[in-house]
Amino acid sequence: PIDPPLQAKSSCPSCFCCSCSYHVPTIRELYARDKRLLRAILVIVLLLNAPVGKYILYPCMIFSTWIHESFHGMAALSIGGTISWLNIYPDGSGLANTIIPIGIFQQGWVSSAGYQGTAVAGGIMLMFRRTNFGARVGTCGLGMAMLLSCALFVRNPFGLVSLASMGILLVLAGWRLPPFWVGELYALLAATTCLNAITSIRVLFFVTEAIIGGVVRTSDATSM
């Protein structure tokens, strides 16, 4: 007689070809692990559906715009270009004026960097959201990066005042706030950045022109 083939024991009911020990987390475990992020998303969803929510989330919109435009500038620097100036406007729009080498790749790289950079920045921020130390360092680091960009590149009055104020507040918050509130603030910024990357998909496919600082300009997607 021929013995039947042996099957590896597995703790995974749907896996018979290998031994695995994956544990599907429960809702309670997911909340315990990602409660900061879940609370931040809940706050954003509630505020987006509240009459005054857009005013409360206004600083988050300015923050996301700064991230977006900063990555346009960093993309230009990465290919040997320069940043002339970086402006943020009251309507939440922004513009990074860069000088880059002539070429289709160079133009596409810089034009797409706002979308890609926001997604990458959001993902990196999420990596450090679970620890008090990571949230504190991340909050202070974002504030100092804002202040540095103001000193080097931001030139319009609104951008200077708004970003410098936010930068100072973020540094002070990361330095002085209790760990719980620093974590909540950092999770809110990370969630805002990630959601901005998602909502930018609509602009990527359906918007050819955008009003930036009161002037109609070609969108990044069209430039790409």
Side-chain angles (χ1 to χ4, degrees), residues 39-83:
R39 284 196 295 260
I41 294 175
L42 178 62
V43 168
I44 292 173
V45 171
L46 292 177
L47 289 177
L48 287 175
N49 290 277
V52 298
K54 64 178 181 179
Y55 301 107
I56 299 175
L57 290 175
Y58 182 74
C60 295
M61 179 176 65
I62 298 298
F63 174 80
S64 298
T65 301
W66 170 73
I67 291 282
H68 183 102
E69 300 304 329
S70 294
F71 272 96
H72 282 308
M74 286 188 282
L77 295 176
S78 71
I79 56 174
T82 59
I83 305 173

mmCIF file of all heavy atoms in Angstrom, residues 39-83:
data_model
loop_
_atom_site.group_PDB
_atom_site.id
_atom_site.type_symbol
_atom_site.label_atom_id
_atom_site.label_comp_id
_atom_site.label_asym_id
_atom_site.label_seq_id
_atom_site.Cartn_x
_atom_site.Cartn_y
_atom_site.Cartn_z
ATOM 1 N N ARG A 39 -8.521 57.383 15.856
ATOM 2 C CA ARG A 39 -9.149 58.588 16.416
ATOM 3 C C ARG A 39 -8.942 59.782 15.500
ATOM 4 O O ARG A 39 -9.844 60.614 15.321
ATOM 5 C CB ARG A 39 -8.588 58.872 17.811
ATOM 6 C CG ARG A 39 -9.130 57.962 18.897
ATOM 7 C CD ARG A 39 -8.848 58.543 20.275
ATOM 8 N NE ARG A 39 -7.431 58.607 20.561
ATOM 9 C CZ ARG A 39 -6.774 57.726 21.307
ATOM 10 N NH1 ARG A 39 -7.416 56.694 21.840
ATOM 11 N NH2 ARG A 39 -5.486 57.856 21.542
ATOM 12 N N ALA A 40 -7.752 59.899 14.917
ATOM 13 C CA ALA A 40 -7.477 61.020 14.019
ATOM 14 C C ALA A 40 -8.383 60.964 12.790
ATOM 15 O O ALA A 40 -8.936 61.988 12.367
ATOM 16 C CB ALA A 40 -6.008 60.991 13.593
ATOM 17 N N ILE A 41 -8.544 59.770 12.218
ATOM 18 C CA ILE A 41 -9.420 59.627 11.044
ATOM 19 C C ILE A 41 -10.863 59.940 11.411
ATOM 20 O O ILE A 41 -11.590 60.600 10.654
ATOM 21 C CB ILE A 41 -9.297 58.203 10.463
ATOM 22 C CG1 ILE A 41 -7.882 57.989 9.901
ATOM 23 C CG2 ILE A 41 -10.342 57.971 9.375
ATOM 24 C CD1 ILE A 41 -7.625 56.585 9.418
ATOM 25 N N LEU A 42 -11.298 59.492 12.580
ATOM 26 C CA LEU A 42 -12.660 59.777 13.026
ATOM 27 C C LEU A 42 -12.878 61.280 13.174
ATOM 28 O O LEU A 42 -13.919 61.816 12.747
ATOM 29 C CB LEU A 42 -12.938 59.069 14.353
ATOM 30 C CG LEU A 42 -14.317 59.319 14.978
ATOM 31 C CD1 LEU A 42 -15.421 58.821 14.048
ATOM 32 C CD2 LEU A 42 -14.417 58.634 16.342
ATOM 33 N N VAL A 43 -11.919 61.978 13.762
ATOM 34 C CA VAL A 43 -12.029 63.431 13.922
ATOM 35 C C VAL A 43 -12.118 64.114 12.559
ATOM 36 O O VAL A 43 -12.953 65.012 12.347
ATOM 37 C CB VAL A 43 -10.825 63.972 14.719
ATOM 38 C CG1 VAL A 43 -10.763 65.494 14.634
ATOM 39 C CG2 VAL A 43 -10.912 63.529 16.168
ATOM 40 N N ILE A 44 -11.300 63.692 11.614
ATOM 41 C CA ILE A 44 -11.307 64.297 10.283
ATOM 42 C C ILE A 44 -12.649 64.067 9.598
ATOM 43 O O ILE A 44 -13.234 64.990 9.004
ATOM 44 C CB ILE A 44 -10.157 63.739 9.430
ATOM 45 C CG1 ILE A 44 -8.815 64.202 9.992
ATOM 46 C CG2 ILE A 44 -10.296 64.180 7.980
ATOM 47 C CD1 ILE A 44 -7.619 63.570 9.320
ATOM 48 N N VAL A 45 -13.159 62.838 9.662
ATOM 49 C CA VAL A 45 -14.439 62.525 9.020
ATOM 50 C C VAL A 45 -15.568 63.347 9.625
ATOM 51 O O VAL A 45 -16.421 63.900 8.917
ATOM 52 C CB VAL A 45 -14.738 61.013 9.143
ATOM 53 C CG1 VAL A 45 -16.161 60.711 8.684
ATOM 54 C CG2 VAL A 45 -13.747 60.206 8.316
ATOM 55 N N LEU A 46 -15.591 63.457 10.950
ATOM 56 C CA LEU A 46 -16.641 64.236 11.614
ATOM 57 C C LEU A 46 -16.552 65.721 11.242
ATOM 58 O O LEU A 46 -17.570 66.362 10.965
ATOM 59 C CB LEU A 46 -16.546 64.062 13.133
ATOM 60 C CG LEU A 46 -16.882 62.665 13.673
ATOM 61 C CD1 LEU A 46 -16.663 62.614 15.185
ATOM 62 C CD2 LEU A 46 -18.322 62.287 13.334
ATOM 63 N N LEU A 47 -15.332 66.252 11.221
ATOM 64 C CA LEU A 47 -15.175 67.673 10.913
ATOM 65 C C LEU A 47 -15.503 67.980 9.456
ATOM 66 O O LEU A 47 -16.027 69.056 9.145
ATOM 67 C CB LEU A 47 -13.754 68.127 11.236
ATOM 68 C CG LEU A 47 -13.404 68.208 12.729
ATOM 69 C CD1 LEU A 47 -11.942 68.587 12.905
ATOM 70 C CD2 LEU A 47 -14.301 69.220 13.435
ATOM 71 N N LEU A 48 -15.203 67.046 8.558
ATOM 72 C CA LEU A 48 -15.527 67.260 7.152
ATOM 73 C C LEU A 48 -17.030 67.319 6.914
ATOM 74 O O LEU A 48 -17.483 67.876 5.901
ATOM 75 C CB LEU A 48 -14.910 66.150 6.296
ATOM 76 C CG LEU A 48 -13.388 66.194 6.110
ATOM 77 C CD1 LEU A 48 -12.906 64.972 5.341
ATOM 78 C CD2 LEU A 48 -12.971 67.471 5.396
ATOM 79 N N ASN A 49 -17.800 66.753 7.810
ATOM 80 C CA ASN A 49 -19.258 66.745 7.676
ATOM 81 C C ASN A 49 -19.932 67.743 8.616
ATOM 82 O O ASN A 49 -21.163 67.730 8.751
ATOM 83 C CB ASN A 49 -19.802 65.347 7.946
ATOM 84 C CG ASN A 49 -19.435 64.362 6.852
ATOM 85 O OD1 ASN A 49 -20.083 64.286 5.822
ATOM 86 N ND2 ASN A 49 -18.355 63.615 7.064
ATOM 87 N N ALA A 50 -19.148 68.585 9.254
ATOM 88 C CA ALA A 50 -19.690 69.609 10.151
ATOM 89 C C ALA A 50 -19.605 70.976 9.470
ATOM 90 O O ALA A 50 -18.679 71.224 8.685
ATOM 91 C CB ALA A 50 -18.919 69.629 11.468
ATOM 92 N N PRO A 51 -20.571 71.874 9.746
ATOM 93 C CA PRO A 51 -20.572 73.192 9.090
ATOM 94 C C PRO A 51 -19.285 73.988 9.318
ATOM 95 O O PRO A 51 -18.821 74.691 8.424
ATOM 96 C CB PRO A 51 -21.777 73.897 9.723
ATOM 97 C CG PRO A 51 -22.666 72.784 10.187
ATOM 98 C CD PRO A 51 -21.743 71.674 10.609
ATOM 99 N N VAL A 52 -18.714 73.884 10.497
ATOM 100 C CA VAL A 52 -17.500 74.653 10.798
ATOM 101 C C VAL A 52 -16.240 73.804 10.669
ATOM 102 O O VAL A 52 -15.143 74.270 10.986
ATOM 103 C CB VAL A 52 -17.573 75.255 12.221
ATOM 104 C CG1 VAL A 52 -18.734 76.220 12.322
ATOM 105 C CG2 VAL A 52 -17.704 74.155 13.275
ATOM 106 N N GLY A 53 -16.401 72.572 10.200
ATOM 107 C CA GLY A 53 -15.262 71.661 10.148
ATOM 108 C C GLY A 53 -14.141 72.140 9.263
ATOM 109 O O GLY A 53 -12.959 71.996 9.602
ATOM 110 N N LYS A 54 -14.493 72.753 8.110
ATOM 111 C CA LYS A 54 -13.435 73.181 7.189
ATOM 112 C C LYS A 54 -12.578 74.293 7.789
ATOM 113 O O LYS A 54 -11.399 74.431 7.443
ATOM 114 C CB LYS A 54 -14.042 73.634 5.868
ATOM 115 C CG LYS A 54 -14.935 74.848 5.964
ATOM 116 C CD LYS A 54 -15.457 75.238 4.579
ATOM 117 C CE LYS A 54 -16.338 76.492 4.649
ATOM 118 N NZ LYS A 54 -16.822 76.863 3.298
ATOM 119 N N TYR A 55 -13.162 75.071 8.686
ATOM 120 C CA TYR A 55 -12.385 76.130 9.322
ATOM 121 C C TYR A 55 -11.424 75.548 10.368
ATOM 122 O O TYR A 55 -10.306 76.031 10.528
ATOM 123 C CB TYR A 55 -13.315 77.144 9.981
ATOM 124 C CG TYR A 55 -14.273 77.790 9.003
ATOM 125 C CD1 TYR A 55 -15.617 77.451 8.992
ATOM 126 C CD2 TYR A 55 -13.822 78.728 8.078
ATOM 127 C CE1 TYR A 55 -16.501 78.037 8.087
ATOM 128 C CE2 TYR A 55 -14.686 79.322 7.166
ATOM 129 C CZ TYR A 55 -16.030 78.961 7.179
ATOM 130 O OH TYR A 55 -16.888 79.533 6.283
ATOM 131 N N ILE A 56 -11.881 74.509 11.071
ATOM 132 C CA ILE A 56 -11.017 73.872 12.070
ATOM 133 C C ILE A 56 -9.866 73.134 11.387
ATOM 134 O O ILE A 56 -8.737 73.120 11.889
ATOM 135 C CB ILE A 56 -11.843 72.912 12.944
ATOM 136 C CG1 ILE A 56 -12.941 73.691 13.681
ATOM 137 C CG2 ILE A 56 -10.949 72.179 13.944
ATOM 138 C CD1 ILE A 56 -13.879 72.811 14.476
ATOM 139 N N LEU A 57 -10.165 72.535 10.225
ATOM 140 C CA LEU A 57 -9.147 71.774 9.505
ATOM 141 C C LEU A 57 -8.300 72.650 8.572
ATOM 142 O O LEU A 57 -7.427 72.132 7.882
ATOM 143 C CB LEU A 57 -9.813 70.662 8.679
ATOM 144 C CG LEU A 57 -10.418 69.496 9.464
ATOM 145 C CD1 LEU A 57 -11.141 68.552 8.524
ATOM 146 C CD2 LEU A 57 -9.345 68.749 10.244
ATOM 147 N N TYR A 58 -8.553 73.948 8.565
ATOM 148 C CA TYR A 58 -7.817 74.850 7.670
ATOM 149 C C TYR A 58 -6.297 74.755 7.857
ATOM 150 O O TYR A 58 -5.557 74.671 6.865
ATOM 151 C CB TYR A 58 -8.291 76.281 7.885
ATOM 152 C CG TYR A 58 -7.630 77.296 6.984
ATOM 153 C CD1 TYR A 58 -7.955 77.384 5.631
ATOM 154 C CD2 TYR A 58 -6.663 78.164 7.493
ATOM 155 C CE1 TYR A 58 -7.341 78.318 4.814
ATOM 156 C CE2 TYR A 58 -6.047 79.099 6.674
ATOM 157 C CZ TYR A 58 -6.391 79.170 5.341
ATOM 158 O OH TYR A 58 -5.768 80.080 4.529
ATOM 159 N N PRO A 59 -5.777 74.745 9.093
ATOM 160 C CA PRO A 59 -4.313 74.591 9.234
ATOM 161 C C PRO A 59 -3.795 73.284 8.647
ATOM 162 O O PRO A 59 -2.673 73.244 8.118
ATOM 163 C CB PRO A 59 -4.103 74.632 10.757
ATOM 164 C CG PRO A 59 -5.296 75.373 11.281
ATOM 165 C CD PRO A 59 -6.426 74.969 10.394
ATOM 166 N N CYS A 60 -4.595 72.219 8.720
ATOM 167 C CA CYS A 60 -4.169 70.943 8.129
ATOM 168 C C CYS A 60 -4.076 71.053 6.614
ATOM 169 O O CYS A 60 -3.200 70.445 5.992
ATOM 170 C CB CYS A 60 -5.144 69.833 8.518
ATOM 171 S SG CYS A 60 -5.171 69.457 10.280
ATOM 172 N N MET A 61 -4.989 71.822 5.996
ATOM 173 C CA MET A 61 -4.936 72.027 4.550
ATOM 174 C C MET A 61 -3.669 72.790 4.165
ATOM 175 O O MET A 61 -2.990 72.443 3.187
ATOM 176 C CB MET A 61 -6.174 72.778 4.076
ATOM 177 C CG MET A 61 -6.197 73.055 2.585
ATOM 178 S SD MET A 61 -7.717 73.851 2.019
ATOM 179 C CE MET A 61 -7.600 75.443 2.867
ATOM 180 N N ILE A 62 -3.347 73.817 4.935
ATOM 181 C CA ILE A 62 -2.120 74.576 4.664
ATOM 182 C C ILE A 62 -0.897 73.675 4.834
ATOM 183 O O ILE A 62 0.052 73.731 4.039
ATOM 184 C CB ILE A 62 -2.026 75.789 5.605
ATOM 185 C CG1 ILE A 62 -3.196 76.748 5.370
ATOM 186 C CG2 ILE A 62 -0.703 76.513 5.417
ATOM 187 C CD1 ILE A 62 -3.243 77.333 3.975
ATOM 188 N N PHE A 63 -0.922 72.821 5.850
ATOM 189 C CA PHE A 63 0.182 71.897 6.087
ATOM 190 C C PHE A 63 0.363 70.950 4.899
ATOM 191 O O PHE A 63 1.485 70.733 4.429
ATOM 192 C CB PHE A 63 -0.074 71.099 7.365
ATOM 193 C CG PHE A 63 0.921 70.016 7.631
ATOM 194 C CD1 PHE A 63 2.155 70.309 8.188
ATOM 195 C CD2 PHE A 63 0.630 68.697 7.323
ATOM 196 C CE1 PHE A 63 3.087 69.310 8.428
ATOM 197 C CE2 PHE A 63 1.549 67.683 7.560
ATOM 198 C CZ PHE A 63 2.785 67.996 8.111
ATOM 199 N N SER A 64 -0.739 70.385 4.391
ATOM 200 C CA SER A 64 -0.661 69.461 3.254
ATOM 201 C C SER A 64 -0.145 70.161 2.006
ATOM 202 O O SER A 64 0.633 69.584 1.236
ATOM 203 C CB SER A 64 -2.037 68.843 2.989
ATOM 204 O OG SER A 64 -2.484 68.088 4.086
ATOM 205 N N THR A 65 -0.586 71.400 1.799
ATOM 206 C CA THR A 65 -0.098 72.159 0.647
ATOM 207 C C THR A 65 1.403 72.409 0.753
ATOM 208 O O THR A 65 2.142 72.308 -0.239
ATOM 209 C CB THR A 65 -0.843 73.501 0.545
ATOM 210 O OG1 THR A 65 -2.243 73.258 0.412
ATOM 211 C CG2 THR A 65 -0.358 74.302 -0.650
ATOM 212 N N TRP A 66 1.860 72.720 1.947
ATOM 213 C CA TRP A 66 3.304 72.924 2.155
ATOM 214 C C TRP A 66 4.090 71.646 1.853
ATOM 215 O O TRP A 66 5.143 71.711 1.195
ATOM 216 C CB TRP A 66 3.549 73.371 3.595
ATOM 217 C CG TRP A 66 4.985 73.389 3.978
ATOM 218 C CD1 TRP A 66 5.940 74.283 3.574
ATOM 219 C CD2 TRP A 66 5.664 72.452 4.833
ATOM 220 N NE1 TRP A 66 7.157 73.956 4.119
ATOM 221 C CE2 TRP A 66 7.012 72.852 4.901
ATOM 222 C CE3 TRP A 66 5.236 71.345 5.555
ATOM 223 C CZ2 TRP A 66 7.945 72.144 5.666
ATOM 224 C CZ3 TRP A 66 6.165 70.646 6.310
ATOM 225 C CH2 TRP A 66 7.501 71.042 6.366
ATOM 226 N N ILE A 67 3.592 70.504 2.293
ATOM 227 C CA ILE A 67 4.242 69.225 1.978
ATOM 228 C C ILE A 67 4.319 69.036 0.467
ATOM 229 O O ILE A 67 5.372 68.677 -0.095
ATOM 230 C CB ILE A 67 3.471 68.056 2.624
ATOM 231 C CG1 ILE A 67 3.602 68.085 4.144
ATOM 232 C CG2 ILE A 67 3.955 66.716 2.056
ATOM 233 C CD1 ILE A 67 4.911 67.573 4.679
ATOM 234 N N HIS A 68 3.189 69.250 -0.214
ATOM 235 C CA HIS A 68 3.103 69.056 -1.661
ATOM 236 C C HIS A 68 4.120 69.935 -2.398
ATOM 237 O O HIS A 68 4.905 69.436 -3.227
ATOM 238 C CB HIS A 68 1.674 69.393 -2.110
ATOM 239 C CG HIS A 68 1.418 69.179 -3.563
ATOM 240 N ND1 HIS A 68 0.741 68.081 -4.065
ATOM 241 C CD2 HIS A 68 1.737 69.943 -4.654
ATOM 242 C CE1 HIS A 68 0.670 68.166 -5.381
ATOM 243 N NE2 HIS A 68 1.263 69.283 -5.758
ATOM 244 N N GLU A 69 4.122 71.216 -2.086
ATOM 245 C CA GLU A 69 5.016 72.132 -2.797
ATOM 246 C C GLU A 69 6.481 71.913 -2.427
ATOM 247 O O GLU A 69 7.374 72.093 -3.257
ATOM 248 C CB GLU A 69 4.617 73.583 -2.504
ATOM 249 C CG GLU A 69 3.201 73.948 -2.922
ATOM 250 C CD GLU A 69 2.929 73.680 -4.389
ATOM 251 O OE1 GLU A 69 3.865 73.782 -5.205
ATOM 252 O OE2 GLU A 69 1.776 73.364 -4.727
ATOM 253 N N SER A 70 6.731 71.504 -1.196
ATOM 254 C CA SER A 70 8.113 71.238 -0.784
ATOM 255 C C SER A 70 8.715 70.096 -1.579
ATOM 256 O O SER A 70 9.907 70.126 -1.937
ATOM 257 C CB SER A 70 8.154 70.910 0.716
ATOM 258 O OG SER A 70 7.779 72.022 1.490
ATOM 259 N N PHE A 71 7.903 69.091 -1.906
ATOM 260 C CA PHE A 71 8.430 67.974 -2.683
ATOM 261 C C PHE A 71 8.670 68.363 -4.134
ATOM 262 O O PHE A 71 9.547 67.779 -4.788
ATOM 263 C CB PHE A 71 7.496 66.768 -2.577
ATOM 264 C CG PHE A 71 7.818 65.889 -1.404
ATOM 265 C CD1 PHE A 71 7.142 66.028 -0.211
ATOM 266 C CD2 PHE A 71 8.821 64.943 -1.491
ATOM 267 C CE1 PHE A 71 7.446 65.235 0.885
ATOM 268 C CE2 PHE A 71 9.142 64.143 -0.415
ATOM 269 C CZ PHE A 71 8.452 64.287 0.778
ATOM 270 N N HIS A 72 7.913 69.307 -4.677
ATOM 271 C CA HIS A 72 8.269 69.851 -5.992
ATOM 272 C C HIS A 72 9.670 70.451 -5.928
ATOM 273 O O HIS A 72 10.498 70.223 -6.822
ATOM 274 C CB HIS A 72 7.269 70.942 -6.402
ATOM 275 C CG HIS A 72 5.964 70.424 -6.916
ATOM 276 N ND1 HIS A 72 5.865 69.490 -7.922
ATOM 277 C CD2 HIS A 72 4.681 70.720 -6.552
ATOM 278 C CE1 HIS A 72 4.592 69.235 -8.170
ATOM 279 N NE2 HIS A 72 3.850 69.963 -7.342
ATOM 280 N N GLY A 73 9.919 71.212 -4.891
ATOM 281 C CA GLY A 73 11.233 71.824 -4.750
ATOM 282 C C GLY A 73 12.342 70.809 -4.563
ATOM 283 O O GLY A 73 13.412 70.923 -5.177
ATOM 284 N N MET A 74 12.117 69.808 -3.721
ATOM 285 C CA MET A 74 13.146 68.792 -3.488
ATOM 286 C C MET A 74 13.426 67.986 -4.751
ATOM 287 O O MET A 74 14.569 67.582 -5.015
ATOM 288 C CB MET A 74 12.733 67.880 -2.335
ATOM 289 C CG MET A 74 12.857 68.530 -0.977
ATOM 290 S SD MET A 74 12.594 67.384 0.398
ATOM 291 C CE MET A 74 10.811 67.267 0.371
ATOM 292 N N ALA A 75 12.373 67.744 -5.557
ATOM 293 C CA ALA A 75 12.571 67.023 -6.820
ATOM 294 C C ALA A 75 13.446 67.842 -7.763
ATOM 295 O O ALA A 75 14.309 67.294 -8.459
ATOM 296 C CB ALA A 75 11.225 66.722 -7.463
ATOM 297 N N ALA A 76 13.225 69.158 -7.774
ATOM 298 C CA ALA A 76 14.061 70.015 -8.625
ATOM 299 C C ALA A 76 15.517 69.975 -8.170
ATOM 300 O O ALA A 76 16.439 69.887 -8.985
ATOM 301 C CB ALA A 76 13.523 71.452 -8.596
ATOM 302 N N LEU A 77 15.739 70.038 -6.871
ATOM 303 C CA LEU A 77 17.107 69.977 -6.354
ATOM 304 C C LEU A 77 17.772 68.649 -6.672
ATOM 305 O O LEU A 77 18.987 68.594 -6.904
ATOM 306 C CB LEU A 77 17.093 70.208 -4.843
ATOM 307 C CG LEU A 77 16.648 71.591 -4.359
ATOM 308 C CD1 LEU A 77 16.589 71.623 -2.834
ATOM 309 C CD2 LEU A 77 17.571 72.683 -4.883
ATOM 310 N N SER A 78 16.990 67.573 -6.706
ATOM 311 C CA SER A 78 17.564 66.237 -6.920
ATOM 312 C C SER A 78 18.092 66.045 -8.329
ATOM 313 O O SER A 78 18.890 65.122 -8.573
ATOM 314 C CB SER A 78 16.519 65.161 -6.616
ATOM 315 O OG SER A 78 15.502 65.141 -7.613
ATOM 316 N N ILE A 79 17.651 66.875 -9.282
ATOM 317 C CA ILE A 79 18.136 66.741 -10.659
ATOM 318 C C ILE A 79 19.017 67.933 -11.056
ATOM 319 O O ILE A 79 19.214 68.203 -12.242
ATOM 320 C CB ILE A 79 16.965 66.594 -11.656
ATOM 321 C CG1 ILE A 79 16.003 67.773 -11.536
ATOM 322 C CG2 ILE A 79 16.252 65.279 -11.449
ATOM 323 C CD1 ILE A 79 14.907 67.761 -12.601
ATOM 324 N N GLY A 80 19.523 68.634 -10.066
ATOM 325 C CA GLY A 80 20.440 69.723 -10.339
ATOM 326 C C GLY A 80 19.791 71.069 -10.564
ATOM 327 O O GLY A 80 20.465 72.018 -10.997
ATOM 328 N N GLY A 81 18.494 71.192 -10.260
ATOM 329 C CA GLY A 81 17.808 72.467 -10.418
ATOM 330 C C GLY A 81 17.902 73.307 -9.154
ATOM 331 O O GLY A 81 18.612 72.977 -8.202
ATOM 332 N N THR A 82 17.151 74.382 -9.146
ATOM 333 C CA THR A 82 17.132 75.277 -7.993
ATOM 334 C C THR A 82 15.686 75.673 -7.681
ATOM 335 O O THR A 82 14.792 75.564 -8.535
ATOM 336 C CB THR A 82 17.949 76.554 -8.248
ATOM 337 O OG1 THR A 82 17.411 77.235 -9.402
ATOM 338 C CG2 THR A 82 19.408 76.215 -8.496
ATOM 339 N N ILE A 83 15.462 76.146 -6.462
ATOM 340 C CA ILE A 83 14.156 76.651 -6.046
ATOM 341 C C ILE A 83 14.238 78.170 -6.005
ATOM 342 O O ILE A 83 15.025 78.742 -5.242
ATOM 343 C CB ILE A 83 13.760 76.116 -4.664
ATOM 344 C CG1 ILE A 83 13.803 74.582 -4.649
ATOM 345 C CG2 ILE A 83 12.374 76.614 -4.274
ATOM 346 C CD1 ILE A 83 13.582 73.991 -3.269
#
